[in-house]
Amino acid sequence: TPPRPRTMSNAPDRYDVILLPEGVNKVECTQDILTKNTVVFKIEREDHTLGNLLRMQLLRDPRVFFAGYKAPHPLEYHILIRVQTRPDPSASAAAAGAFDDGDAAFREAMLTPGRAATPGRGGEGVKYPPEEALALALEDLKSEVSLIKERVKMAIDLYQGSRPSAYGQYR
């Protein structure tokens, strides 16, 4: 008889990594009580790929003082993103990062409802809350991915237009 394949009895099912369980929010937001203007976002069923993308995008914003992420444990399928914004950004930076398109549906889908920043939460006079910083970073990433998608389509069209057809002639 052939030997039985080795299996790990304590290994999680593969679908646990990607399927969001019933009743679990995709994104949760909690205020850091030790640091002003700081919020920690818990994003379920994501890993280092999204964590690093968001961290890098957040750090491009001059109004963000600190952005970092961590994946607490390999068997815990979420990441924690910590965002700290400056309490009083310059007027030019605030104007440059303002939301132009008003895509509230996208922001609402990514952020937990009822957790909007108010002046007094996380320090008096917060003009650029961390929640807005994350929403802006997601909008920027969405725009960049759309641009890359268009450029890939153009490259494919160029490639298909210049390669020889089945009959040896160029189109």
Side-chain angles (χ1 to χ4, degrees):
T1 64
R4 286 182 24 184
R6 299 177 104 181
T7 60
M8 294 182 62
S9 61
N10 63 348
D13 292 325
R14 291 179 188 237
Y15 62 84
D16 284 344
V17 177
I18 55 173
L19 292 179
L20 192 63
E22 187 88 22
V24 175
N25 291 331
K26 178 71 174 173
V27 180
E28 291 180 6
C29 175
T30 56
Q31 181 72 36
D32 185 355
I33 59 173
L34 299 176
T35 313
K36 289 184 178 184
N37 304 335
T38 304
V39 174
V40 177
F41 297 95
K42 179 181 178 183
I43 304 178
E44 287 289 338
R45 302 307 187 251
E46 296 296 344
D47 60 5
H48 293 284
T49 305
L50 182 67
N52 195 39
L53 267 172
L54 286 174
R55 180 185 65 88
M56 293 302 294
Q57 192 66 36
L58 283 162
L59 289 175
R60 288 180 180 176
D61 190 340
R63 299 172 291 177
V64 173
F65 182 70
F66 174 81
Y69 83 96
K70 70 177 179 176
H73 190 274
L75 294 177
E76 293 179 20
Y77 307 119
H78 66 270
I79 56 173
L80 300 173
I81 299 176
R82 179 180 300 270
V83 181
Q84 182 179 8
T85 56
R86 298 181 190 283
D88 191 11
S90 68
S92 61
F99 286 102
D100 294 328
D101 58 0
D103 190 5
F106 179 74
R107 290 186 308 195
E108 191 172 321
M110 293 307 296
L111 299 175
T112 306
R115 296 295 296 187
T118 56
R121 210 179 88 205
E124 296 301 319
V126 175
K127 294 182 181 172
Y128 187 60
E131 294 92 338
E132 189 174 330
L134 182 65
L136 182 60
L138 289 168
E139 279 295 321
D140 289 345
L141 282 174
K142 185 172 127 179
S143 299
E144 288 180 22
V145 168
S146 295
L147 179 64
I148 291 170
K149 179 181 169 185
E150 290 301 316
R151 289 184 178 170
V152 166
K153 283 182 181 179
M154 288 172 43
I156 290 171
D157 291 344
L158 252 168
Y159 170 75
Q160 289 177 343
S162 65
R163 69 180 179 163
S165 67
Y167 301 105
Q169 299 174 351
Y170 288 92
R171 290 190 219 173

PDB file of all heavy atoms in Angstrom, residues 44-61:
ATOM      1  N   GLU A  44      -9.828  43.433   7.895  1.00  0.00           N
ATOM      2  CA  GLU A  44      -9.948  41.972   7.898  1.00  0.00           C
ATOM      3  C   GLU A  44      -9.610  41.371   6.541  1.00  0.00           C
ATOM      4  O   GLU A  44      -9.883  41.960   5.507  1.00  0.00           O
ATOM      5  CB  GLU A  44     -11.374  41.561   8.279  1.00  0.00           C
ATOM      6  CG  GLU A  44     -11.708  41.752   9.731  1.00  0.00           C
ATOM      7  CD  GLU A  44     -11.005  40.779  10.653  1.00  0.00           C
ATOM      8  OE1 GLU A  44     -10.572  39.700  10.200  1.00  0.00           O
ATOM      9  OE2 GLU A  44     -10.896  41.101  11.840  1.00  0.00           O
ATOM     10  N   ARG A  45      -9.058  40.191   6.592  1.00  0.00           N
ATOM     11  CA  ARG A  45      -8.763  39.358   5.413  1.00  0.00           C
ATOM     12  C   ARG A  45      -7.852  40.058   4.421  1.00  0.00           C
ATOM     13  O   ARG A  45      -8.018  39.977   3.226  1.00  0.00           O
ATOM     14  CB  ARG A  45     -10.049  38.889   4.718  1.00  0.00           C
ATOM     15  CG  ARG A  45     -10.994  38.088   5.606  1.00  0.00           C
ATOM     16  CD  ARG A  45     -10.258  36.936   6.260  1.00  0.00           C
ATOM     17  NE  ARG A  45     -11.138  36.042   6.981  1.00  0.00           N
ATOM     18  CZ  ARG A  45     -11.182  35.957   8.317  1.00  0.00           C
ATOM     19  NH1 ARG A  45     -10.444  36.738   9.065  1.00  0.00           N
ATOM     20  NH2 ARG A  45     -11.957  35.069   8.899  1.00  0.00           N
ATOM     21  N   GLU A  46      -6.869  40.790   4.930  1.00  0.00           N
ATOM     22  CA  GLU A  46      -5.848  41.417   4.086  1.00  0.00           C
ATOM     23  C   GLU A  46      -4.484  41.083   4.669  1.00  0.00           C
ATOM     24  O   GLU A  46      -4.364  40.625   5.796  1.00  0.00           O
ATOM     25  CB  GLU A  46      -6.042  42.935   4.020  1.00  0.00           C
ATOM     26  CG  GLU A  46      -7.336  43.354   3.352  1.00  0.00           C
ATOM     27  CD  GLU A  46      -7.424  42.972   1.890  1.00  0.00           C
ATOM     28  OE1 GLU A  46      -6.398  42.641   1.259  1.00  0.00           O
ATOM     29  OE2 GLU A  46      -8.550  42.997   1.357  1.00  0.00           O
ATOM     30  N   ASP A  47      -3.450  41.313   3.852  1.00  0.00           N
ATOM     31  CA  ASP A  47      -2.100  40.955   4.280  1.00  0.00           C
ATOM     32  C   ASP A  47      -1.123  42.078   3.974  1.00  0.00           C
ATOM     33  O   ASP A  47      -1.510  43.220   3.770  1.00  0.00           O
ATOM     34  CB  ASP A  47      -1.671  39.631   3.631  1.00  0.00           C
ATOM     35  CG  ASP A  47      -1.675  39.700   2.119  1.00  0.00           C
ATOM     36  OD1 ASP A  47      -1.922  40.786   1.566  1.00  0.00           O
ATOM     37  OD2 ASP A  47      -1.411  38.673   1.485  1.00  0.00           O
ATOM     38  N   HIS A  48       0.162  41.737   3.922  1.00  0.00           N
ATOM     39  CA  HIS A  48       1.218  42.728   3.726  1.00  0.00           C
ATOM     40  C   HIS A  48       1.078  43.485   2.410  1.00  0.00           C
ATOM     41  O   HIS A  48       1.538  44.615   2.307  1.00  0.00           O
ATOM     42  CB  HIS A  48       2.586  42.045   3.767  1.00  0.00           C
ATOM     43  CG  HIS A  48       2.928  41.504   5.117  1.00  0.00           C
ATOM     44  ND1 HIS A  48       3.329  42.307   6.156  1.00  0.00           N
ATOM     45  CD2 HIS A  48       2.924  40.248   5.601  1.00  0.00           C
ATOM     46  CE1 HIS A  48       3.573  41.568   7.221  1.00  0.00           C
ATOM     47  NE2 HIS A  48       3.324  40.313   6.915  1.00  0.00           N
ATOM     48  N   THR A  49       0.468  42.888   1.413  1.00  0.00           N
ATOM     49  CA  THR A  49       0.342  43.556   0.117  1.00  0.00           C
ATOM     50  C   THR A  49      -0.419  44.866   0.262  1.00  0.00           C
ATOM     51  O   THR A  49       0.079  45.936  -0.098  1.00  0.00           O
ATOM     52  CB  THR A  49      -0.372  42.632  -0.893  1.00  0.00           C
ATOM     53  OG1 THR A  49       0.328  41.397  -0.959  1.00  0.00           O
ATOM     54  CG2 THR A  49      -0.436  43.278  -2.252  1.00  0.00           C
ATOM     55  N   LEU A  50      -1.611  44.809   0.804  1.00  0.00           N
ATOM     56  CA  LEU A  50      -2.403  46.023   0.980  1.00  0.00           C
ATOM     57  C   LEU A  50      -1.817  46.905   2.079  1.00  0.00           C
ATOM     58  O   LEU A  50      -1.811  48.129   1.955  1.00  0.00           O
ATOM     59  CB  LEU A  50      -3.856  45.681   1.308  1.00  0.00           C
ATOM     60  CG  LEU A  50      -4.768  46.891   1.451  1.00  0.00           C
ATOM     61  CD1 LEU A  50      -4.940  47.592   0.107  1.00  0.00           C
ATOM     62  CD2 LEU A  50      -6.102  46.492   2.012  1.00  0.00           C
ATOM     63  N   GLY A  51      -1.313  46.311   3.129  1.00  0.00           N
ATOM     64  CA  GLY A  51      -0.745  47.089   4.226  1.00  0.00           C
ATOM     65  C   GLY A  51       0.394  47.974   3.775  1.00  0.00           C
ATOM     66  O   GLY A  51       0.451  49.162   4.106  1.00  0.00           O
ATOM     67  N   ASN A  52       1.309  47.423   3.000  1.00  0.00           N
ATOM     68  CA  ASN A  52       2.449  48.203   2.538  1.00  0.00           C
ATOM     69  C   ASN A  52       2.013  49.258   1.520  1.00  0.00           C
ATOM     70  O   ASN A  52       2.518  50.381   1.534  1.00  0.00           O
ATOM     71  CB  ASN A  52       3.519  47.295   1.940  1.00  0.00           C
ATOM     72  CG  ASN A  52       4.835  48.008   1.789  1.00  0.00           C
ATOM     73  OD1 ASN A  52       5.228  48.791   2.638  1.00  0.00           O
ATOM     74  ND2 ASN A  52       5.513  47.749   0.693  1.00  0.00           N
ATOM     75  N   LEU A  53       1.076  48.912   0.636  1.00  0.00           N
ATOM     76  CA  LEU A  53       0.568  49.894  -0.326  1.00  0.00           C
ATOM     77  C   LEU A  53      -0.045  51.094   0.386  1.00  0.00           C
ATOM     78  O   LEU A  53       0.248  52.250   0.045  1.00  0.00           O
ATOM     79  CB  LEU A  53      -0.500  49.248  -1.204  1.00  0.00           C
ATOM     80  CG  LEU A  53      -0.069  48.638  -2.512  1.00  0.00           C
ATOM     81  CD1 LEU A  53      -1.230  47.883  -3.141  1.00  0.00           C
ATOM     82  CD2 LEU A  53       0.461  49.662  -3.457  1.00  0.00           C
ATOM     83  N   LEU A  54      -0.895  50.835   1.364  1.00  0.00           N
ATOM     84  CA  LEU A  54      -1.538  51.928   2.091  1.00  0.00           C
ATOM     85  C   LEU A  54      -0.533  52.739   2.894  1.00  0.00           C
ATOM     86  O   LEU A  54      -0.606  53.969   2.935  1.00  0.00           O
ATOM     87  CB  LEU A  54      -2.631  51.389   3.007  1.00  0.00           C
ATOM     88  CG  LEU A  54      -3.900  50.938   2.310  1.00  0.00           C
ATOM     89  CD1 LEU A  54      -4.848  50.294   3.302  1.00  0.00           C
ATOM     90  CD2 LEU A  54      -4.577  52.098   1.611  1.00  0.00           C
ATOM     91  N   ARG A  55       0.413  52.082   3.514  1.00  0.00           N
ATOM     92  CA  ARG A  55       1.434  52.796   4.292  1.00  0.00           C
ATOM     93  C   ARG A  55       2.215  53.747   3.398  1.00  0.00           C
ATOM     94  O   ARG A  55       2.394  54.928   3.711  1.00  0.00           O
ATOM     95  CB  ARG A  55       2.375  51.807   4.960  1.00  0.00           C
ATOM     96  CG  ARG A  55       3.471  52.479   5.793  1.00  0.00           C
ATOM     97  CD  ARG A  55       4.448  51.452   6.327  1.00  0.00           C
ATOM     98  NE  ARG A  55       5.186  50.808   5.260  1.00  0.00           N
ATOM     99  CZ  ARG A  55       6.329  51.272   4.746  1.00  0.00           C
ATOM    100  NH1 ARG A  55       6.839  52.401   5.188  1.00  0.00           N
ATOM    101  NH2 ARG A  55       6.956  50.627   3.790  1.00  0.00           N
ATOM    102  N   MET A  56       2.664  53.245   2.246  1.00  0.00           N
ATOM    103  CA  MET A  56       3.442  54.084   1.339  1.00  0.00           C
ATOM    104  C   MET A  56       2.603  55.240   0.795  1.00  0.00           C
ATOM    105  O   MET A  56       3.091  56.362   0.675  1.00  0.00           O
ATOM    106  CB  MET A  56       4.000  53.251   0.185  1.00  0.00           C
ATOM    107  CG  MET A  56       5.038  52.237   0.623  1.00  0.00           C
ATOM    108  SD  MET A  56       6.444  52.973   1.462  1.00  0.00           S
ATOM    109  CE  MET A  56       7.150  53.920   0.150  1.00  0.00           C
ATOM    110  N   GLN A  57       1.344  54.977   0.482  1.00  0.00           N
ATOM    111  CA  GLN A  57       0.475  56.029  -0.036  1.00  0.00           C
ATOM    112  C   GLN A  57       0.204  57.080   1.040  1.00  0.00           C
ATOM    113  O   GLN A  57       0.206  58.275   0.753  1.00  0.00           O
ATOM    114  CB  GLN A  57      -0.840  55.422  -0.530  1.00  0.00           C
ATOM    115  CG  GLN A  57      -1.674  56.370  -1.330  1.00  0.00           C
ATOM    116  CD  GLN A  57      -1.031  56.753  -2.645  1.00  0.00           C
ATOM    117  OE1 GLN A  57      -0.386  55.940  -3.281  1.00  0.00           O
ATOM    118  NE2 GLN A  57      -1.196  57.983  -3.044  1.00  0.00           N
ATOM    119  N   LEU A  58      -0.007  56.657   2.271  1.00  0.00           N
ATOM    120  CA  LEU A  58      -0.231  57.599   3.363  1.00  0.00           C
ATOM    121  C   LEU A  58       1.000  58.466   3.609  1.00  0.00           C
ATOM    122  O   LEU A  58       0.883  59.662   3.882  1.00  0.00           O
ATOM    123  CB  LEU A  58      -0.615  56.853   4.637  1.00  0.00           C
ATOM    124  CG  LEU A  58      -2.045  56.339   4.697  1.00  0.00           C
ATOM    125  CD1 LEU A  58      -2.182  55.272   5.765  1.00  0.00           C
ATOM    126  CD2 LEU A  58      -3.014  57.480   4.933  1.00  0.00           C
ATOM    127  N   LEU A  59       2.178  57.885   3.504  1.00  0.00           N
ATOM    128  CA  LEU A  59       3.401  58.644   3.771  1.00  0.00           C
ATOM    129  C   LEU A  59       3.704  59.667   2.680  1.00  0.00           C
ATOM    130  O   LEU A  59       4.519  60.565   2.888  1.00  0.00           O
ATOM    131  CB  LEU A  59       4.583  57.689   3.958  1.00  0.00           C
ATOM    132  CG  LEU A  59       4.540  56.880   5.252  1.00  0.00           C
ATOM    133  CD1 LEU A  59       5.672  55.871   5.291  1.00  0.00           C
ATOM    134  CD2 LEU A  59       4.590  57.795   6.463  1.00  0.00           C
ATOM    135  N   ARG A  60       3.069  59.569   1.536  1.00  0.00           N
ATOM    136  CA  ARG A  60       3.236  60.586   0.488  1.00  0.00           C
ATOM    137  C   ARG A  60       2.551  61.895   0.855  1.00  0.00           C
ATOM    138  O   ARG A  60       2.885  62.943   0.319  1.00  0.00           O
ATOM    139  CB  ARG A  60       2.656  60.085  -0.831  1.00  0.00           C
ATOM    140  CG  ARG A  60       3.464  59.016  -1.474  1.00  0.00           C
ATOM    141  CD  ARG A  60       2.808  58.605  -2.766  1.00  0.00           C
ATOM    142  NE  ARG A  60       3.563  57.556  -3.424  1.00  0.00           N
ATOM    143  CZ  ARG A  60       3.181  56.966  -4.522  1.00  0.00           C
ATOM    144  NH1 ARG A  60       2.044  57.303  -5.107  1.00  0.00           N
ATOM    145  NH2 ARG A  60       3.919  56.026  -5.063  1.00  0.00           N
ATOM    146  N   ASP A  61       1.579  61.822   1.739  1.00  0.00           N
ATOM    147  CA  ASP A  61       0.811  62.994   2.146  1.00  0.00           C
ATOM    148  C   ASP A  61       1.602  63.765   3.209  1.00  0.00           C
ATOM    149  O   ASP A  61       1.920  63.212   4.264  1.00  0.00           O
ATOM    150  CB  ASP A  61      -0.542  62.545   2.702  1.00  0.00           C
ATOM    151  CG  ASP A  61      -1.495  63.686   2.936  1.00  0.00           C
ATOM    152  OD1 ASP A  61      -1.046  64.846   3.049  1.00  0.00           O
ATOM    153  OD2 ASP A  61      -2.709  63.417   3.001  1.00  0.00           O
TER     154      ASP A  61
END
